[in-house]
Amino acid sequence: MLPCARRLDEAIDLDYPGAASMKAESISIGTEILLGEILDTNAQYIASRLPALGIDLYWMTQVGDNLDRLSEAIRRAWDRSDLILTTGGLGPTEDDLTREAIAAALDEPLSVDGKMEAQLRAFFSSRGLVMPERNVKQAALIPSARPIANPRGTAPGWWVKRDGRILVAMPGPPVEMERMWEEEVAPRLAKLATGGVIVSRTLKTMGIGEGSVDEMVGPLLRSTNPSVAVYAKADGVHLRITAKAASREEAQRLIAPMEEEARGILGKTIWGADDETLEAAVGAMLRERGLSVATMESCTGGLLASTITDAAGSSSYFKGGFVAYTGEMKIALGVDEELVRRHGVVSQEVARDMARAVRERLGADFGIGITGVAGPEPLEDKPVGTIHIALDDPDTSGQAISYTFAQSRAAIKRRAVTTALFLLRRALLGR
Amino acid sequence: MLPCARRLDEAIDLDYPGAASMKAESISIGTEILLGEILDTNAQYIASRLPALGIDLYWMTQVGDNLDRLSEAIRRAWDRSDLILTTGGLGPTEDDLTREAIAAALDEPLSVDGKMEAQLRAFFSSRGLVMPERNVKQAALIPSARPIANPRGTAPGWWVKRDGRILVAMPGPPVEMERMWEEEVAPRLAKLATGGVIVSRTLKTMGIGEGSVDEMVGPLLRSTNPSVAVYAKADGVHLRITAKAASREEAQRLIAPMEEEARGILGKTIWGADDETLEAAVGAMLRERGLSVATMESCTGGLLASTITDAAGSSSYFKGGFVAYTGEMKIALGVDEELVRRHGVVSQEVARDMARAVRERLGADFGIGITGVAGPEPLEDKPVGTIHIALDDPDTSGQAISYTFAQSRAAIKRRAVTTALFLLRRALLGR
């Protein structure tokens, strides 16, 4: 038990033997989740906040509004986990069964709490409403449960403590759940969990495949604390270093040498870390060097410009962009008509001239031109997915990449934008 | 067993006793899900597609890259479900353990399949690469498993059949998983599942709130089959009509009269149905009327042009776009300098003139101008989230909407683009 915890928290008795190493699991409740009608963002919200509390999340489960399956899920969780976090099923309707399922799983009687019922009626009258009688069930408790306030809704949460285990039942609407988590649940858990914290550091690379990164850093992957893992993402391959320690500082001390080693191996293929986006990383390089960029896009239809301007402060280095969907507009914007006639608009020659034209017209240091076939129909007999990306700058002859990437229209656009930013970054590394 | 299934499907023996009432469960694999670093969209994707196959999804689970817990999850699923659908953990790295966990749970030996290994090496050499040795594990199988092709990646799926149960292992990257689902998995499951089907029809509205829609269609909400539900979404309020029946056709017969009634009530507020996007709906209206549009964007940075061109065939009505991030560029593109000086770039006057200038310059029937403050810093003392959207056409004085939407940079951009498309649709309804 944690005497300090008991001393610290007046609201709830925090005596909790298992605190030093809390195994947690989340259960998201609602048939609409299992029908795919809504995305279960509550589970991710909770998952993303547990590491900093030093609580390990081992299982996430979604189950429908079915008393048997829901009770079974809670019973199993009660057997294997120290902390169970449920969301949903606390509403007033007949298929809100979380309270009933917890009572069944823990074999405890469910009864209406007079004080809670009064508060609930007050909640309604404060809004000039009369409480529908079916809402009374929201004032029910079991002996092991204590209510958790929910100022944003009618469903109070439950804090259930028994057999050295804790179950926290929270409402499903994210605005109610998140407020309850931040104000009520997280602070209490922070006092319980003395199992140290988990800190992660993600290094983001470009230009090498998942398998290659895995081989390059092979020896590091055997380390257990910090642990090292490789993930393939849309913006390149990520390397994640994760350390568990008593404090954030200690975890960072474990990560530092591993990060240094990884950086030594991966070198310039690393373009950013943690939440940094490629557009922000490239934008920072442009700002540092006092350089600017302008874009002329065809098949990406403005997605490159939009992505570049997703980075805050981009106005200081983004000179502007043209979305030139037709050959006429490209020519009107300064692309050599002769090149278009000779090679067609879907050609590396035209991509290069688009980059040059927009750089000159908007007075930028770099110009990027993208032309290709986003589909669904081929263009100029060039297959869907044919992409030409060119970078123009005054000093060099510029660079260009051409490839075919036969995928969905959206995927083709995204891939082209990422490639264009990779191209720009490579050029900036030389500056 | 289903003799027809066996006859129909050459690829795989579909003999399957439990087909008539398939209980399914999904397992999403990856520690990054349990750390809250990525949102598990694969499970929702699968969940949303099972009802139409008449397959009931009873459980969704997420588990990390841990051999014991993963094997335990698979073992339990094997005990309680007819169909198990896993995503993730098929990569080449050391913590991709799905194959190992299935082998352990089913107690079958894992061995490399020569033919698959050859295909894998061919996949790499076709891209001018040498396969890293660690990718060999992606060619491993157990006796009960057959490979499922994955043209979009190096990880083949598994179709495991034993004890009247089926386990399908799919890769984690959505672009690979979704293609495998659509081309390989769903068609096979469709032949197995002979339970009734659930069919949904979604009507998408604009310009009225959730509460209003709820009131307008109030009586319809009491219907049970088909059932009717109202959802508030980013592109307006959706009305979903869902019917359960023995066949798709029968379900559609149940939906048709309800849809007619709903359309009678909601009228022109309905802009599309099911998977139709707003840009596709507006694009179709432009094409039908032989009209065109051009854009000049400031704070949305090209997202409007990119969204318009997300619709296939947009080249027939999208004349092009300018991303004019600076006042100078706006003026260079024909915006009245006097207006900019008098009202500032973030003003409805300038938005209107941007719309006029781009319409005239690109010879379009409609011009759209967007200016505002996407943040994080205020501009011209106008608060973050201030947005001015204007539509210009030759016949009328045009229309404009101004509002403040204090949210994240990305949300501000998305909201402005949706509003611009709503504005364009409203104008097209008059044509």
Side-chain angles (χ1 to χ4, degrees), chain A residues 214 240 309-310 409 413, chain B residues 37 134 309-310 409 413:
Chain A
D214 205 69
R240 184 180 303 109
T309 58
D310 280 341
R409 194 174 168 89
K413 288 175 69 173
Chain B
E37 285 163 1
R134 86 173 12 139
T309 58
D310 279 341
R409 193 176 171 90
K413 288 176 70 173

Side-chain angles (χ1 to χ4, degrees), chain B residues 292-367:
Chain B
S292 62
V293 63
T295 59
M296 193 187 300
E297 309 174 63
S298 178
C299 60
T300 46
L303 186 61
L304 175 58
S306 178
T307 304
I308 289 172
T309 58
D310 279 341
S314 45
S315 52
S316 69
Y317 53 80
F318 182 61
K319 287 281 189 175
F322 298 129
V323 181
Y325 228 50
T326 62
E328 300 66 51
M329 184 171 171
K330 292 183 183 74
I331 291 159
L333 291 167
V335 173
D336 180 348
E337 186 164 5
E338 174 61 19
L339 283 177
V340 174
R341 210 179 46 255
R342 193 159 355 113
H343 304 283
V345 290
V346 181
S347 63
Q348 190 172 110
E349 291 78 4
V350 168
R352 285 178 179 278
D353 211 47
M354 288 166 73
R356 176 202 54 77
V358 73
R359 185 182 63 74
E360 288 173 4
R361 178 161 299 223
L362 298 182
D365 299 294
F366 292 99

Side-chain angles (χ1 to χ4, degrees), chain A residues 286 290-294 316-319 359 362-367 424:
Chain A
L286 284 165
L291 298 170
S292 63
V293 64
S316 68
Y317 52 79
F318 182 62
K319 287 279 189 177
R359 182 181 66 72
L362 297 182
D365 299 296
F366 291 99
L424 178 53

Side-chain angles (χ1 to χ4, degrees), chain A residues 95-401:
Chain A
D95 45 344
D96 289 304
L97 296 165
T98 300
R99 281 171 294 258
E100 290 79 353
I102 297 171
L106 273 58
D107 192 20
E108 292 192 22
L110 194 59
S111 58
V112 173
D113 177 279
K115 188 150 154 285
M116 285 170 72
E117 183 181 348
Q119 289 168 345
L120 205 51
R121 294 192 184 277
F123 179 94
F124 276 89
S125 51
S126 73
R127 288 161 174 66
L129 303 165
V130 177
M131 183 180 88
E133 277 319 302
R134 62 179 188 187
N135 281 75
V136 171
K137 70 185 271 186
Q138 296 188 299
L141 280 180
I142 55 172
S144 305
R146 303 212 199 161
I148 306 174
N150 176 14
R152 292 194 182 165
T154 61
W158 276 16
W159 182 284
V160 180
K161 191 171 139 307
R162 205 185 82 187
D163 317 333
R165 280 165 177 58
I166 287 177
L167 182 151
V168 183
M170 293 173 282
V175 305
E176 297 180 30
M177 188 281 289
E178 291 172 14
R179 191 269 176 201
M180 187 177 288
W181 176 267
E182 281 157 29
E183 305 293 317
E184 308 282 344
V185 180
R188 292 170 190 173
L189 292 178
K191 295 173 188 157
L192 294 181
T194 58
V197 301
I198 295 173
V199 178
S200 280
R201 176 79 167 159
T202 300
L203 301 179
K204 302 177 172 180
T205 72
M206 58 170 267
I208 39 178
E210 185 178 10
S212 318
V213 172
D214 205 69
E215 276 187 1
M216 290 167 76
V217 301
L220 311 188
L221 298 177
R222 279 183 220 95
S223 164
T224 53
N225 191 23
S227 65
V228 180
V230 177
Y231 304 94
K233 303 281 181 176
D235 59 357
V237 176
H238 294 186
L239 186 79
R240 184 180 303 109
I241 307 168
T242 306
K244 189 166 171 117
S247 71
R248 177 159 196 86
E249 296 60 37
E250 198 184 316
Q252 276 153 343
R253 270 196 298 280
L254 288 169
I255 289 172
M258 184 64 81
E259 176 175 352
E260 198 182 331
E261 199 169 345
R263 286 187 178 274
I265 296 169
L266 298 168
K268 287 208 179 303
T269 66
I270 297 173
W271 59 259
D274 296 335
D275 298 336
E276 192 171 13
T277 63
L278 186 56
E279 57 271 21
V282 172
M285 293 174 79
L286 284 165
R287 210 171 21 249
E288 284 162 15
R289 294 161 173 73
L291 298 170
S292 63
V293 64
T295 60
M296 192 186 301
E297 308 175 63
S298 178
C299 59
T300 47
L303 186 60
L304 175 58
S306 179
T307 304
I308 289 172
T309 58
D310 280 341
S314 44
S315 53
S316 68
Y317 52 79
F318 182 62
K319 287 279 189 177
F322 298 131
V323 181
Y325 230 51
T326 62
E328 301 65 52
M329 184 170 169
K330 293 184 183 74
I331 292 159
L333 290 168
V335 173
D336 181 347
E337 187 165 4
E338 173 61 19
L339 283 177
V340 173
R341 210 178 48 255
R342 199 169 340 123
H343 304 284
V345 289
V346 181
S347 62
Q348 190 171 108
E349 291 77 2
V350 168
R352 285 178 179 277
D353 210 47
M354 287 166 73
R356 176 203 54 77
V358 72
R359 182 181 66 72
E360 290 174 0
R361 179 160 299 225
L362 297 182
D365 299 296
F366 291 99
I368 299 176
I370 303 181
T371 178
V373 189
E377 296 308 317
L379 185 61
E380 298 174 347
D381 309 327
K382 281 123 180 176
V384 172
T386 305
I387 300 288
H388 301 284
I389 302 168
L391 179 82
D392 185 78
D393 67 86
D395 313 350
T396 75
S397 66
Q399 312 170 40
I401 293 180

